[in-house]
Amino acid sequence: MSEEKSLNFLEEIIEKDIEAGLHGGRVHTRFPPEPNGYLHIGHATSICLNFGLAKKYNGKCNLRFDDTNPTTEETEYVENIKNDIKWLGFTWDNELYASDYFETLYNFAVQLIEKGLAYVDDSTAEEIAAQKGSTTSPGTNSPYRDRTVEENLRLFREMREGKYKDGEKTLRAKIDMAHPNLLLRDPLMYRIKHEHHHRTGDKWCIYPMYDFAHGQCDSIEEITHSICTLEFIHHRPLYNWFIEQLGIFPSKQYEFARRNLTYTVMSKRKLLQLVNEGHVAGWDDPRMPTISGMRRRGYPAEAFIRFSDTIGIAKRENIVDIGLLEFCVREHLNKTTNRVMAVLDPVKLVVTNYAEGATEWFTAENNPEDETSGTRQIPFTRELWIEREDFMEEAPKKFFRLTPGNMVRLKSAYIVKCDGCVKDSDGNITEVHCTYLPESKSGNDTSGLTVKGTIHWVSVQHARTAEVRLYDRLFRVEDPSNEDGDFKDYINPDSMQVLPAVYIEPALADAKPGDRMQFMRKGYFCADVDSTPDKLIFNRTVTLKDAWAKEQKKG
Ligand code: ATP
Ligand code: MG
């Protein structure tokens, strides 16, 4: 771990800027979510990046809500975004809202009008689109392009005063309709929207466009390094143009590639559809790629940080294997969770030579990966629950679990020898029978036997019942957004399986929502937010993969 990591391209830029004494060597970043949905794993990596750079260079990072579009924004989202960032372990230096700058932005626009660099246009959206031209042909000037400064000032004021209907007028920057970059062909700065805003209420009926808000907000906050995703690379000349024409603080924009993840979608618009159309139970459904969904599923914050660090930043779009995120989750949970026993698909195992009514309490290590995790007591009795799949009446050669004549160890207890099973009239197995070897007691084994299989179990008499929810990928294909047709056609119909009655060991009875643990051989689990002492509910966070194979070898 002590190995020095090479700098990523943003760190290189920042270190050069510091060395050159730019802005007194100060580093100030911002994370600018639009409060129109919950944050997802892509945002998490952006948070790690922006807050991480500020931390690394003793700088600051603002949380700025990019709330310039009244149509889609809600206060509920603001609260959840703050909660998610805090949960990830970051603290912002300032909490700011683009809407707080509406007056300043308006005055900036007036300045540009006064300089002859902006004009009010009566063209319709279709006309403006037609004026744009194409990559191979220049655009055409709007017939309103040469209005006088006085007229523009009056019209823009009237736009603000509510004299015009939505779409009737816009404010455009006067740049160059033949510019090779289409974004600089007189881009829109303001549009009319008679809509209620979540913070400014009905005070405004004109709202700035992204391009005329983002850079100006950065500049107002004196952001030194404004990091955004790659789709804004062609906006950078415009970002610079507005700042230069206004002569305000020279924030600079840098782009990195959006992080996408396999088997899911990341756009908030698509996530909103999943929620609104009931494909999932909500933004925090444990199958969602949202921070709140993944948290509910049991993903620890540390795994997000590790994941973000591992994938680093790229200059080209890429899609990251969800397996890597799961690896980070497992790695953390392996070190931090207690091992417990839970039987998901139970069948009864009767230890026929064990005294009826007797209970022995075995001591088990909570987490072999963590010396400080302590131990707990597990009751052993004559009747136990085991997994149905751990018994086979006729088994193939390599089946090292229960099959007549074979021996296995019951984890933390005894070695037992399988004698057979009992069936009902339909041929269903109702009980498996075995005999135990008293001298094989775990921790004091004098039997001299080695067995190849170890299985988990729960005492019937002491078992508690719980609901377990198993999750699979939300989509059947790696990149649902890139398939033919609608992305929702690729939803995995079996992404959630509910097991209404599983048996868990008594030590789990007081699990609290959010508690994480490993169900031996079954995966990592987390008590759901809906879990109560009367009705325990556990989400499977992630399966174990190879961990048990190793455990079995140890014997
Ligand atoms: P979406 O397409 O999901 O709506 P967005 O870019 O519109 O995403 P914002 O709330 O504007 O969402 O994003 C806030 C910040 O997070 C921006 O700086 C944006 O670039 C970054 N971001 C959003 N999605 C990703 C992603 N998948 N990977 C990395 N950064 C992202
Ligand atoms: Mg955005």
Side-chain angles (χ1 to χ4, degrees):
M1 278 315 287
S2 63
E3 198 180 306
E4 192 95 351
K5 256 186 146 178
S6 60
L7 298 182
N8 65 45
F9 73 91
L10 288 172
E11 291 167 337
E12 274 174 17
I13 290 167
I14 290 176
E15 295 201 0
K16 254 194 218 130
D17 288 347
I18 293 174
E19 220 170 287
L22 188 71
H23 310 308
R26 190 171 60 81
V27 174
H28 201 153
T29 58
R30 87 286 172 263
F31 175 66
E34 187 179 345
N36 61 349
Y38 284 51
L39 297 180
H40 52 60
I41 174 79
H43 293 117
T45 61
S46 178
I47 292 168
C48 291
L49 182 63
N50 279 297
F51 283 91
L53 287 172
K55 191 167 168 203
K56 178 165 180 179
Y57 296 107
N58 287 320
K60 287 187 172 159
C61 183
N62 289 353
L63 168 60
R64 183 202 313 142
F65 289 98
D66 186 4
D67 58 352
T68 53
N69 182 359
T71 316
T72 50
E73 291 156 5
E74 287 174 31
T75 308
E76 175 208 341
Y77 295 136
V78 169
E79 291 311 312
N80 278 291
I81 288 170
K82 291 202 286 190
N83 190 29
D84 284 349
I85 300 172
K86 276 190 246 168
W87 179 76
L88 284 173
F90 297 107
T91 316
W92 46 89
D93 290 281
N94 303 292
E95 177 183 331
L96 302 158
Y97 295 79
S99 57
D100 287 346
Y101 309 133
F102 280 168
E103 193 66 45
T104 311
L105 294 173
Y106 179 86
N107 290 328
F108 283 159
V110 168
Q111 281 176 41
L112 291 181
I113 295 173
E114 284 168 345
K115 289 175 93 173
L117 293 172
Y119 61 97
V120 172
D121 197 341
D122 299 4
S123 305
T124 63
E126 294 73 35
E127 285 162 350
I128 290 175
Q131 289 159 16
K132 271 271 151 170
S134 72
T135 44
T136 48
S137 61
T140 46
N141 285 355
S142 160
Y144 305 95
R145 198 172 196 263
D146 294 320
R147 278 180 161 150
T148 62
V149 168
E150 288 66 36
E151 190 180 9
N152 282 319
L153 285 173
R154 175 176 58 81
L155 292 173
F156 188 49
R157 193 178 58 243
E158 289 174 354
M159 279 168 65
R160 175 185 181 160
E161 286 164 359
K163 202 162 169 198
Y164 306 108
K165 289 199 283 291
D166 288 13
E168 225 179 303
K169 284 186 168 38
T170 55
L171 184 74
R172 292 176 75 178
K174 192 170 179 176
I175 306 179
D176 178 1
M177 287 309 290
H179 201 285
N181 181 340
L182 268 67
L183 290 168
L184 276 82
R185 293 184 185 174
D186 291 11
L188 294 194
M189 292 169 60
Y190 270 89
R191 61 193 188 281
I192 301 172
K193 268 194 179 206
H194 290 271
E195 267 179 73
H196 192 82
H197 184 278
H198 78 119
R199 295 186 87 237
T200 56
D202 297 316
K203 179 163 182 220
W204 293 87
C205 62
I206 55 170
Y207 291 94
M209 304 298 291
Y210 173 89
D211 285 320
F212 187 66
H214 205 89
Q216 285 47 253
C217 294
D218 285 342
S219 182
I220 293 166
E221 294 172 17
E222 304 201 334
I223 299 301
T224 57
H225 299 82
S226 174
I227 299 158
C228 65
T229 43
L230 218 49
E231 69 272 23
F232 291 103
I233 195 160
H234 302 298
H235 296 247
R236 196 191 326 152
L238 186 53
Y239 180 103
N240 292 337
W241 189 87
F242 281 126
I243 284 179
E244 278 159 26
Q245 302 308 321
L246 290 165
I248 53 180
F249 181 86
S251 297
K252 285 265 178 301
Q253 172 183 306
Y254 301 93
E255 308 84 14
F256 74 103
R258 214 164 245 277
R259 274 72 162 252
N260 299 307
L261 208 57
T262 55
Y263 297 101
T264 192
V265 293
M266 216 81 107
S267 120
K268 278 184 280 191
R269 190 177 50 81
K270 290 182 179 150
L271 296 175
L272 187 64
Q273 279 182 53
L274 293 176
V275 173
N276 285 348
E277 296 172 20
H279 299 287
V280 293
W283 282 101
D284 71 342
D285 185 299
R287 291 165 294 179
M288 290 281 272
T290 51
I291 297 178
S292 50
M294 289 175 155
R295 171 171 64 233
R296 180 168 177 182
R297 181 159 170 169
Y299 283 26
E302 291 84 349
F304 287 87
I305 315 275
R306 182 75 204 272
F307 173 72
S308 178
D309 261 11
T310 309
I311 61 176
I313 54 168
K315 285 186 184 173
R316 251 192 292 159
E317 283 285 330
N318 53 357
I319 179 158
V320 183
D321 188 345
I322 196 168
L324 178 62
L325 177 60
E326 290 173 349
F327 171 84
C328 297
V329 170
R330 257 186 219 109
E331 200 184 45
H332 185 79
L333 295 180
N334 178 42
K335 281 183 263 168
T336 54
T337 56
N338 289 346
R339 277 57 169 162
V340 291
M341 296 202 276
V343 176
L344 305 191
D345 181 19
V347 68
K348 197 179 273 184
L349 177 72
V350 183
V351 188
T352 53
N353 62 337
Y354 197 79
E356 247 170 280
T359 303
E360 254 176 295
W361 290 86
F362 286 101
T363 303
E365 233 179 326
N366 279 331
N367 181 0
E369 302 289 324
D370 175 6
E371 282 173 11
T372 64
S373 66
T375 60
R376 72 188 188 291
Q377 298 294 108
I378 318 172
F380 184 86
T381 53
R382 186 172 189 268
E383 295 195 342
L384 310 170
W385 294 118
I386 60 165
E387 299 288 347
R388 198 164 274 279
E389 64 178 17
D390 282 339
F391 171 76
M392 273 182 102
E393 203 172 8
E394 281 168 52
K397 255 202 180 126
K398 290 245 158 104
F399 188 78
F400 298 123
R401 291 170 272 168
L402 291 167
T403 186
N406 200 34
M407 286 194 278
V408 301
R409 174 167 296 280
L410 297 176
K411 178 76 185 168
S412 301
Y414 294 106
I415 293 176
V416 295
K417 177 160 171 281
C418 182
D419 299 317
C421 63
V422 178
K423 294 181 195 170
D424 65 14
S425 54
D426 296 328
N428 300 313
I429 295 164
T430 53
E431 283 181 2
V432 177
H433 284 191
C434 70
T435 44
Y436 84 111
L437 285 76
E439 67 277 18
S440 67
K441 192 169 175 163
S442 194
N444 186 22
D445 183 354
T446 58
S447 70
L449 294 167
T450 45
V451 292
K452 285 215 168 99
T454 302
I455 65 170
H456 63 278
W457 51 276
V458 173
S459 160
V460 169
Q461 186 195 327
H462 299 87
R464 293 283 310 260
T465 309
E467 177 179 309
V468 157
R469 298 172 184 171
L470 304 178
Y471 301 103
D472 197 355
R473 320 238 128 129
L474 189 51
F475 290 91
R476 292 180 283 116
V477 293
E478 278 203 358
D479 192 1
S481 305
N482 246 333
E483 297 281 343
D484 291 339
D486 191 77
F487 76 99
K488 284 170 293 176
D489 297 342
Y490 299 92
I491 290 178
N492 174 6
D494 304 314
S495 60
M496 175 160 91
Q497 189 192 354
V498 177
L499 308 177
V502 312
Y503 293 117
I504 58 175
E505 61 170 276
L508 269 176
D510 48 27
K512 303 276 176 305
D515 283 358
R516 304 188 189 105
M517 69 286 304
Q518 185 197 97
F519 287 180
M520 282 183 204
R521 300 172 70 211
K522 290 291 156 192
Y524 293 101
F525 288 75
C526 175
D528 189 72
V529 282
D530 290 342
S531 188
T532 63
D534 293 330
K535 188 178 186 218
L536 294 164
I537 304 171
F538 296 95
N539 295 314
R540 180 153 70 191
T541 310
V542 67
T543 55
L544 287 182
K545 246 184 173 162
D546 295 338
W548 184 252
K550 258 196 281 162
E551 184 86 17
Q552 273 185 316
K553 270 193 217 119
K554 278 192 258 163

